[in-house]
Amino acid sequence: MTNFELMAPCHFGLEAVLKREIYDLGYEIEKVEDGRVIYSGDAEAVALSNIHLRTAERVLIVAGRFHAESFEDLYQGVKNIPWEEYLPKNARFWVKKASAVKSKVYSPKDIQSIAKKAMVDRLKDKYAISWFPEDGADYPVRIFIMKDLVTVALDTSGESLHKRGYRTETGLAPISETLAAALISLTPWHGDRILLDPFCGSGTFAIEAAMMASSMAPGLRRHFTAEKWDIIPESVWSDAREEAEAEIAIPERSNIDIQGYDIDESVVAIARANAKRAGVDGLIHFQERVLSDTRHHGKYGFIITNPPYGERLEDKDSLPLLYGEIGEVMKRLDTWSFYMITSYEDAIRYIGRKPDKNRKIYNGMIKTYFYEFYGPKPPKRKRPPERDMK
């Protein structure tokens, strides 16, 4: 199979998590940049990446790179890419998105139109035709320009990979599935430890955790643009899905404790419906409950949560009381570890406890902080005494 240069964008600050995921799939990393990981792989890698990567936003095939300081440079650079190796005669192709940072070529609309013209002119010459029906499979193209270096890529995913297919309804300020999965991956939580989200909203943290505990591939229930491409055989996709299905291992309900609370009963109902669509509703307990009633009989659990931080939901005047209550929950669950993403600058002041670690992460255009408060390590489990086999 042909090897491609693949590029997977992710949230800024979470590149290391995605890098580890790609390594775990068995592929070599070529480069890590801000907000993206570049690696190499064949057609099977495209399918496996789309189906299995929890923290990537999409999977792109890099078609070409070149330097451009003018629109003429852009036109020639795009035209020099061997598009006939990717696009059949009836392909429907367009520049879905263009962005430019610190570059002499900077108008997204002009970049899109000039790049499309260059693609058409190249394919006219190669296919010896003057008109393209564009009634075949979709081939969306994305162009990134950084300091005059142009990267042109084909989008194999289509809709962003955060759209797993289970979340048809959300609360007022949802966290994306890919960001939730990445934040869980930053913690030492695993399926046999307690996980609780007291601001569960549409249930994303709990659902992503349950899918992880079940070894359930996040993209298993959805489709991808590249499934209709000639360069990736249909058998590759079907084999990748069969392999992902075989890997699912849903734990016994008695062996897992994942809970989600929210003050809004209608939001809790949405979370339950989302969990059912994801196939993990039997592993999660959702409940209407106010923050001050957050309690649990177990020890050494994890709270991983996305509390309100005044961007859209709450009046900032109410946040000191809210974060003070978070501090009280921490005191009550004194053997637990707490992980919290927020943009509220005074969060630590009102919680009343300094975090053990603080990561800066961009949630869309919002600068947030992922605060980590570590609880004590649970005691090591005693091994059963060895039998004397004599």
Side-chain angles (χ1 to χ4, degrees), residues 224-240:
F224 310 96
T225 297
E227 288 184 64
K228 296 182 179 179
W229 293 2
D230 295 341
I231 57 175
I232 305 176
E234 184 179 342
S235 60
V236 169
W237 292 99
S238 59
D239 290 348

Side-chain angles (χ1 to χ4, degrees), residues 297-312:
H297 65 275
K299 292 186 175 183
Y300 308 109
F302 288 75
I303 281 184
I304 306 177
T305 194
N306 173 37
Y309 35 85
E311 295 295 336
R312 287 176 290 177

Side-chain angles (χ1 to χ4, degrees), residues 158-285:
E159 284 196 307
S160 171
L161 294 182
H162 82 268
K163 295 187 176 181
R164 319 287 206 214
Y166 67 75
R167 199 170 75 172
T168 59
E169 295 182 87
T170 64
L172 292 176
I175 191 168
S176 78
E177 294 88 330
T178 48
L179 180 54
L183 296 179
I184 294 169
S185 297
L186 286 174
T187 78
W189 178 84
H190 45 81
D192 64 353
R193 302 284 295 276
I194 305 165
L195 187 148
L196 192 157
D197 180 2
F199 301 97
C200 73
S202 52
T204 310
F205 273 125
I207 294 169
E208 290 294 319
M211 291 174 70
M212 290 178 180
S214 305
S215 299
M216 187 180 293
L220 188 56
R221 309 290 182 227
R222 56 159 286 178
H223 290 282
F224 310 96
T225 297
E227 288 184 64
K228 296 182 179 179
W229 293 2
D230 295 341
I231 57 175
I232 305 176
E234 184 179 342
S235 60
V236 169
W237 292 99
S238 59
D239 290 348
R241 280 201 165 86
E242 284 181 18
E243 180 184 322
E245 287 278 7
E247 290 175 358
I248 296 174
I250 296 178
E252 293 290 332
R253 184 66 183 90
S254 59
N255 295 332
I256 191 164
D257 190 347
I258 299 175
Q259 301 191 28
Y261 305 154
D262 200 280
I263 195 173
D264 188 334
E265 183 180 7
S266 64
V267 170
V268 172
I270 289 172
R272 290 192 181 115
N274 288 342
K276 186 172 183 179
R277 275 187 290 271
V280 294
D281 52 314
L283 303 179
I284 307 170
H285 173 68

Side-chain angles (χ1 to χ4, degrees), residues 94-126:
W94 74 104
V95 180
K96 175 79 172 179
K97 186 175 181 180
S99 62
V101 178
K102 298 179 181 178
S103 300
K104 296 179 180 67
V105 176
Y106 57 84
S107 167
K109 286 187 178 179
D110 290 333
I111 293 168
Q112 288 171 296
S113 61
I114 289 169
K116 172 69 183 249
K117 183 179 187 309
M119 294 170 70
V120 168
D121 290 348
R122 167 86 185 201
L123 293 174
K124 278 182 179 179
D125 293 341
K126 294 298 178 180

